[in-house]
Amino acid sequence: MSEYVNTTPIALKWYDDPCHSLYLHHSDQLGMILVAQSLNQENYHIWSHAMLMALTTKNKDGFIDGTITRPPGSFEAETKQWTCCNILVKGWILNTISPKIAKSVMYNDTAYELREELKEHFSHTNSVHLFQNEQEIHDCIQEGTSIGEYYTKLKSLWDTRDVLCPIPHCGGNVVKELREYQQKQRTIKFLMGLNPIYTATRGQILLMEPLPAVNKVYSLIVQDEKQRAVLSQTIGKMPEAATFAARDNRP
């Protein structure tokens, strides 16, 4: 945990600087709800990711990662401002967790301690959630849904897995190679789950070198889906058109 360093110029009212981590906007209220999804026993990693993004946009993420610590006692004004910010961040966190969970953690002195206790309580379920997520990805197929619905569901499952099991930080080109491998696996999975009607298009895509990213493949399949819809409408109108033509040709 880093030590507090007062880097604000003396001539500047630091609490009026929007870039300062201790700055408070007039709209920052204790009752604000920063994320729509409340924390429960099953969604810690998704909730934690959403909360981090919300606090980062307010320049308050340092209160939960331990980088913004209580100022020394000699900085009275800074200490008061820090206390207000700390209480706000604690309130924002408590506003987005279930009442039952909130009762067990609300007496932590700092937002950092609050977040660490929540992490200790719920992050151990990561393996169980990851297993469930992988099972859902494995079982996800198009069936009676549209291409858009199928892709959206699959992408949501992939995004969840990225939160539960992110790609590790590596040096050199390792991360790039891992991401390329991940994209290839996602393209294959997306193609595998398509309905049999897209077998021909799937075969053409598999012959492409390099294999396109999954979002590009999705775009190609959507074009195929639209062409089939137009062709189906055209064929459906042909008997009617033939009837009118026969009537016009009668003597």
Side-chain angles (χ1 to χ4, degrees):
M1 188 182 299
S2 63
E3 296 182 356
Y4 178 82
V5 179
N6 183 10
T7 59
T8 306
I10 297 177
L12 176 67
K13 292 183 178 180
W14 50 269
Y15 47 81
D16 287 333
D17 181 6
C19 296
H20 199 288
S21 56
L22 298 185
Y23 169 80
L24 290 177
H25 191 267
H26 62 82
S27 64
D28 292 333
Q29 301 296 323
L30 193 60
M32 289 178 61
I33 298 178
L34 298 187
V35 297
Q37 190 175 36
S38 296
L39 172 66
N40 54 46
Q41 300 287 344
E42 307 294 333
N43 67 345
Y44 171 77
H45 292 277
I46 303 299
W47 172 87
S48 178
H49 184 71
M51 179 58 70
L52 176 60
M53 290 192 298
L55 290 175
T56 300
T57 61
K58 289 185 169 294
N59 202 20
K60 297 292 184 291
D61 51 303
F63 280 89
I64 63 171
D65 65 17
T67 58
I68 301 178
T69 58
R70 187 190 303 272
S74 57
F75 296 99
E76 182 177 355
E78 286 88 340
T79 300
K80 289 182 178 179
Q81 190 72 6
W82 181 92
T83 300
C84 290
C85 291
N86 178 65
I87 291 174
L88 269 179
V89 175
K90 281 180 57 180
W92 291 340
I93 294 175
L94 292 172
N95 290 341
T96 59
I97 64 181
S98 67
K100 184 177 180 180
I101 297 174
K103 289 180 181 179
S104 66
V105 297
M106 66 181 300
Y107 294 108
N108 283 283
D109 290 334
T110 67
Y112 172 75
E113 293 171 352
L114 172 58
R115 185 253 190 175
E116 285 298 296
E117 184 168 350
L118 290 173
K119 182 179 179 181
E120 182 180 353
H121 285 176
F122 300 109
S123 63
H124 67 279
T125 60
N126 180 59
S127 298
V128 176
H129 293 159
L130 183 60
F131 175 85
Q132 294 172 340
N133 176 259
E134 290 287 357
Q135 188 67 56
E136 290 184 71
I137 292 174
H138 178 271
D139 296 339
C140 186
I141 57 177
Q142 182 188 357
E143 288 189 310
T145 63
S146 67
I147 294 296
E149 291 171 331
Y150 166 56
Y151 176 75
T152 300
K153 180 180 179 181
L154 198 51
K155 187 176 186 305
S156 176
L157 292 170
W158 285 331
D159 290 343
T160 300
R161 182 173 63 183
D162 288 344
V163 174
L164 295 174
C165 187
I167 293 178
H169 297 288
C170 306
N173 294 324
V174 177
V175 173
K176 179 181 178 181
E177 293 175 359
L178 286 174
R179 292 193 182 281
E180 290 176 351
Y181 173 79
Q182 182 187 68
Q183 281 296 317
K184 186 174 182 179
Q185 293 299 308
R186 291 183 176 183
T187 297
I188 295 295
K189 169 55 191 172
F190 176 71
L191 291 172
M192 288 176 61
L194 292 172
N195 288 340
I197 194 174
Y198 298 104
T199 298
T201 305
R202 177 170 54 200
Q204 294 173 359
I205 293 174
L206 288 172
L207 291 176
M208 295 181 179
E209 187 62 40
L211 193 65
V214 66
N215 58 337
K216 175 62 176 178
V217 172
Y218 164 67
S219 178
L220 294 173
I221 299 296
V222 167
Q223 292 180 29
D224 190 346
E225 182 183 45
K226 291 180 178 179
Q227 290 175 357
R228 291 178 185 276
V230 171
L231 181 60
S232 177
Q233 293 175 358
T234 303
I235 294 176
K237 294 178 180 179
M238 288 180 61
E240 183 179 350
T243 300
F244 279 114
R247 290 178 181 176
D248 293 340
N249 291 331
R250 285 187 302 180

